Amino acid sequence: MEEQDIKRKILKGAEGLFMRYGVRSISMDDIARHLTVSKKTLYQHFADKEDMVTMVCQMHLKEGQKEFDEIRVSAENAIDELAKLSICLKRNMEEINPSLLFDLQKYHPRAWAIWQEFKKSCIYDSVKANLDQGIAEGYYRPELNTEVLSIVRMATVEIVFDDHTFPQQQFKLADVQMEIFDHFVHGLVTEKGRKLYQKYKEKKAIEVTPVNQR
């Protein structure tokens, strides 16, 4: 196996552990055991855990941006994009440990800075482009302040990870995120947009529901 393949295997293995258990609770020993490799192999590719966390964050966000771009390109309109994003968001939230962002903020400043930059650029730009498009298409209310709402959306993505606001033992991360997302959308849409959003939601729900559960 080539060096780059080994490095990517390590990054993907570490990503899976971080997403499931958070970052702080996972050690280099845990990653080595999970991947059945030696710690020496890990340190041949990464200076330390901070270096690995930073690279995992870069890889994860790069893949996320690619997924968002593909959704935007394939969407029929602004509402279709939202419906597809809601499915993507729910899936991602179900895979993330609620402590993940807190761990990055407190213990891994380099990775946290990368997330903050991603939030300000990719998420903000994507939301604002969708809002502008939706207004032009007549699906969103024309008086919306798209700059303010784009910033609000960025903040609501992050707030669900706040354990003081939404304690883990009381709230499920994916459910909270979807509730906030749905509320946000209904604050945007015209009646025309609301009807189309509901139509897409029903369609996508059918598509993602396993056959034996329909």
Side-chain angles (χ1 to χ4, degrees):
M1 186 180 292
E2 295 184 3
E3 291 298 303
Q4 283 301 112
D5 292 334
I6 294 174
K7 187 172 184 177
R8 179 167 175 79
K9 178 186 175 183
I10 294 171
L11 286 172
K12 294 302 289 185
E15 177 190 36
L17 291 175
F18 294 155
M19 295 285 278
R20 184 173 181 181
Y21 300 107
V23 178
R24 187 186 181 194
S25 64
I26 297 298
S27 66
M28 295 293 269
D29 285 319
D30 294 327
I31 296 168
R33 282 194 297 269
H34 178 69
L35 294 170
T36 61
V37 299
S38 66
K39 283 181 68 176
K40 180 181 177 181
T41 299
L42 298 185
Y43 286 112
Q44 286 175 342
H45 296 277
F46 306 96
D48 49 29
K49 183 181 174 182
E50 175 73 17
D51 187 38
M52 179 181 290
V53 172
T54 300
M55 292 192 187
V56 167
C57 186
Q58 289 173 325
M59 177 190 70
H60 180 78
L61 294 180
K62 184 178 180 180
E63 291 176 351
Q65 183 165 8
K66 181 182 177 183
E67 187 172 23
F68 294 157
D69 290 343
E70 289 173 351
I71 287 174
R72 180 157 187 78
V73 170
S74 66
E76 298 172 356
N77 50 59
I79 296 291
D80 185 34
E81 182 181 357
L82 284 184
K84 290 177 177 177
L85 281 172
S86 70
I87 294 171
C88 173
L89 182 64
K90 187 174 190 298
R91 183 179 67 247
N92 290 342
M93 288 298 114
E94 287 174 341
E95 297 172 353
I96 296 179
N97 187 293
S99 69
L100 182 63
L101 283 189
F102 175 80
D103 288 350
L104 293 183
Q105 182 178 19
K106 189 167 184 178
Y107 303 106
H108 300 281
R110 285 164 53 195
W112 179 251
I114 291 169
W115 158 246
Q116 291 298 302
E117 180 57 33
F118 177 82
K119 187 177 68 171
K120 292 176 183 177
S121 56
C122 180
I123 296 179
Y124 177 89
D125 290 347
S126 296
V127 172
K128 191 170 186 309
N130 179 271
L131 294 177
D132 291 335
Q133 179 183 345
I135 290 172
E137 293 170 340
Y139 295 123
Y140 302 159
R141 294 184 290 113
E143 72 274 16
L144 297 176
N145 185 321
T146 59
E147 291 184 8
V148 170
L149 289 173
S150 298
I151 294 171
V152 168
R153 182 58 194 143
M154 287 193 302
T156 58
V157 168
E158 209 165 82
I159 195 174
V160 300
F161 292 92
D162 185 347
D163 193 56
H164 294 291
T165 306
F166 297 107
Q168 296 180 33
Q169 64 272 23
Q170 185 178 352
F171 297 98
K172 186 177 178 182
L173 186 66
D175 291 343
V176 174
Q177 190 65 266
M178 294 313 300
E179 188 70 28
I180 292 174
F181 181 86
D182 203 52
H183 180 79
F184 180 77
V185 172
H186 280 88
L188 306 175
V189 291
T190 58
E191 182 60 20
K192 171 185 172 183
R194 186 193 65 77
K195 289 179 179 178
L196 186 60
Y197 179 61
Q198 191 60 37
K199 177 182 176 183
Y200 276 124
K201 277 184 64 178
E202 291 170 358
K203 177 184 177 183
K204 296 304 177 186
I206 292 172
E207 289 177 356
V208 299
T209 301
V211 173
N212 62 357
Q213 294 182 18
R214 295 180 188 170

